[in-house]
Amino acid sequence: MKNTEIRSLAASEIAERIVAEQENLSKLKFAHSISPIENPNRIRETKRLIARLQTALASK
């Protein structure tokens, strides 16, 4: 998700998206601990997306 897409969302939508991405991150970490996932960079990308969303929410 790009920054322009994030900025166009309402604050409530950003909050919902943060919760969904945090759940996704926990599932990725769990799957990776059991057996290595195909693309471990997805964990890093998800963390960065959560940070972008939190920054956008704080600015609104």
Side-chain angles (χ1 to χ4, degrees), residues 1-57:
M1 180 173 248
K2 300 199 182 254
N3 284 334
T4 55
E5 295 172 354
I6 293 172
R7 286 190 203 116
S8 67
L9 296 175
S12 60
E13 293 173 329
I14 292 174
E16 291 173 8
R17 191 68 193 249
I18 289 172
V19 172
E21 290 299 328
Q22 286 174 336
E23 290 174 3
N24 186 24
L25 178 63
S26 64
K27 288 178 186 176
L28 281 173
K29 283 183 176 180
F30 185 71
H32 187 63
S33 66
I34 293 174
S35 64
I37 56 177
E38 292 177 15
N39 190 359
N41 287 333
R42 288 182 57 206
I43 295 173
R44 183 185 308 161
E45 291 169 2
T46 305
K47 284 182 185 179
R48 289 182 178 175
L49 175 59
I50 292 169
R52 278 192 215 105
L53 289 166
Q54 289 174 337
T55 303
L57 185 61

